[in-house]
Amino acid sequence: MKRLKSILGYSWAALALPIAIATFAGLNFWGHQLVAKTGLKVTPWYSGGETVGTVLHPRYSATIHRPVFDGLVCEYSRGFVQIDWTPAKGEKLPERIDEEIDFDGDGKIDVRVQLEAAKLTAEATPKNEAVEGLEGVYSLHDGAVAVRIKLRNLKSEAK
């Protein structure tokens, strides 16, 4: 009986090892399948929100995301808007980018961003009362750089 238990124990350990390896190897696949089947979405607090516009330049493009105030139950009083600068294929971002951004689509400039891409530093000059300043500068994939601008939710303050 003792020998049978040993054989079963070692057999289980030998079978569990390939299962564990296969599980970790397929983790990305299973995660994508779970999201695809259930309709889950990555929170805009992580992804930056949906894209609302793109400004094309000869060497790069600026992608403007929607303002994010999303909460679990209601909107937060503070949020952000994210702008991504992506170099054109085979290019690098210019050392200095100076861009005026209209993130709410009303035709008026909301913020002026002066970005030094190589140093990952930026300045944000508010042109709209909702803009509170710079939240952060982030390096993204393939030489892209993102800037998040802190915002006040004027809609929630009006209530």
Side-chain angles (χ1 to χ4, degrees):
M1 187 64 166
K2 195 174 187 180
R3 185 170 169 87
L4 179 63
K5 285 183 179 179
S6 293
I7 291 172
L8 288 174
Y10 283 116
S11 298
W12 172 246
L15 289 173
L17 183 63
I19 291 170
I21 292 171
T23 300
F24 284 112
L27 201 55
N28 199 25
F29 169 78
W30 292 114
H32 286 291
Q33 290 300 314
L34 176 67
V35 169
K37 298 289 185 205
T38 61
L40 293 173
K41 293 184 180 171
V42 175
T43 176
W45 287 92
Y46 177 77
S47 67
E50 295 83 17
T51 300
V52 294
T54 303
V55 180
L56 298 174
H57 298 281
R59 294 177 48 204
Y60 63 95
S61 63
T63 304
I64 304 164
H65 296 261
R66 73 168 175 85
V68 174
F69 299 104
D70 301 13
L72 186 60
V73 178
C74 62
E75 287 190 342
Y76 292 130
S77 62
R78 299 278 189 267
F80 69 91
V81 65
Q82 179 171 310
I83 301 107
D84 305 337
W85 284 273
T86 307
K89 193 169 187 147
E91 294 281 344
K92 282 186 167 184
L93 286 176
E95 285 184 30
R96 187 162 176 80
I97 296 173
D98 189 346
E99 189 139 9
E100 293 182 323
I101 305 292
D102 171 22
F103 58 77
D104 58 11
D106 65 357
K108 298 177 187 170
I109 301 304
D110 296 308
V111 65
R112 177 181 177 198
V113 178
Q114 295 168 304
L115 171 70
E116 291 192 36
K119 295 180 183 177
L120 290 178
T121 59
E123 286 183 36
T125 308
K127 306 281 184 178
N128 177 329
E129 63 180 323
V131 177
E132 292 188 326
L134 184 69
E135 182 174 308
V137 182
Y138 309 95
S139 176
L140 301 177
H141 56 83
D142 299 330
V145 174
V147 169
R148 285 192 176 182
I149 308 295
K150 290 189 281 188
L151 300 176
R152 281 190 355 251
N153 189 348
L154 299 178
K155 292 177 190 173
S156 73
E157 289 178 6
K159 293 179 181 178

